[in-house]
Amino acid sequence: MLKVGILGGGQLGRMLLQAAANYPVETFVLENDEQCPAAHLCHHFTKGDIRNFDDVYEFGKGLDALTIEIESVNEDALEKLENEGVKVYPRTEALRTIKNKILQKQFYAKHQVPTAPFEITANLEELRAKTDFIPAVHKIGAGGYDGKGVQLLKTADDISKGFDAPSVLEKMVAIDKEIAQIIAINEKGEIALYPLVDMVFNPDLNLLDYQISPASLPEKTLWKIEAISLRVVKELKSPGLFAVELFVSKQGDVFVNETAPRVHNSGHHTIEANFSSQFDMLWRIILGYPLGNTGPIYPSALVNIVGEEGHSGPPQYEGLAEVLQMDCAFVHLYGKKQTKPGRKMGHVTILSKDTQDLIHRAHKVKQTLKVISKQ
Ligand code: ADP
């Protein structure tokens, strides 16, 4: 039985382990928090820091394969393990490219992958010299995630919001839609594409509102997105499961925003909505099985359940019973011990053939299911 380790024990690790239960595989998790969502679903839990060389190296030494659920892992340890014969998904080289937004953008430019025009800024002083480039988006090279390393610079007055660290300054795109392409590639280079996901943002909060899949797009746009995503994964030269996030501009152009070299929030619906989920697919790749069927069983909507504003502490799920009684709604709560404003605590997938019904019920779930704290 193969021994496979996951770096990180959050909800992505948890859902990976749920899918692992279908296969002969011995699972290991490395994570600092013993109470994390994945801790009790693996065969072996190791407490340790995924960013620390020794912790990652010691954890990975006896394993056959390793994967990640977050990019902020110690890639030097991964590289050493890889050189010693541990299979790493994604390959360390691909992870290095993606982990740093500067290297990632340069990778797109080098391989003629359409992406918004950009410049590199080493510090605030350099940013100040580039006011001509505004309106733009400033993205910190290393260490940003979930919007925390991104600043919209609409006018020159916004420049002080920029990062005083190596960053990408990217032209602001007039976005019509944000789309995700989940794409799988195995050791043989065989590829499977999932139906596209429309990530619908709330314009007031600039937060993901809900996701719909398959996305409704003109066929030409769809083909462009598929071709671009294929190029990204082929050039990354790594087996694994990837989420390519793209913008479709108001003019109909397609730009890659960023790529995640791992299972991703934009693929959670595949658990119920597609024949082979993104988690199942990654196991197939790691275990050397044939790729799965990415076809949709039903169209779906996905709503993230996040901690309410003003509530921190042990979570309580208001409206849960009501959502559990909705037809074709699938509730996932991640078992996090603490809620915080905006923290991802769970998600709900809704299936329906009717897009209007999906949108309506996505809003209904958002209004009904709230994560508050006990006190
Ligand atoms: P993160 O990695 O933190 O998720 P992203 O690079 O995806 O950051 O940016 C977060 C959000 O900011 C995007 O989903 C998009 O709405 C907006 N954004 C990012 N880049 C641009 C751009 N070039 N033009 C317009 N909006 C952008």
Side-chain angles (χ1 to χ4, degrees), residues 194-211:
Y194 280 87
L196 296 177
V197 179
D198 189 349
M199 301 184 285
V200 182
F201 279 77
N202 177 322
D204 301 326
L205 304 172
N206 197 26
L207 274 181
L208 183 68
D209 205 358
Y210 57 88
Q211 293 170 183

Side-chain angles (χ1 to χ4, degrees), residues 101 105 116 136-137 139 144-150 152 170-175 178 199 201 206 245 247 257-258:
K101 284 203 170 167
K105 286 289 278 190
V137 183
K139 301 183 179 185
Y145 67 96
D146 268 354
K148 290 193 179 70
V150 175
L152 301 186
E170 188 179 296
K171 279 276 183 209
M172 193 159 313
V173 176
I175 299 173
E178 296 201 33
M199 301 184 285
F201 279 77
N206 197 26
E245 294 183 56
F247 302 136
N257 173 25
E258 59 178 358

Side-chain angles (χ1 to χ4, degrees), residues 7 25 42 90 141 148 167 180 184-185 204 220 227 252 254 265 269 281 300-301 305 308 313 327-328:
L7 299 180
V25 55
C42 56
K148 290 193 179 70
S167 302
I185 175 162
D204 301 326
K220 216 171 121 190
V254 177
N265 199 128
H269 63 286
M281 189 68 95
S300 67
I305 304 302
E308 279 293 297
D327 281 341
C328 293

Side-chain angles (χ1 to χ4, degrees), residues 215-229:
S216 151
L217 286 166
E219 218 163 52
K220 216 171 121 190
T221 311
L222 208 133
W223 290 336
K224 261 193 220 169
I225 292 173
E226 286 193 0
I228 291 169
S229 305

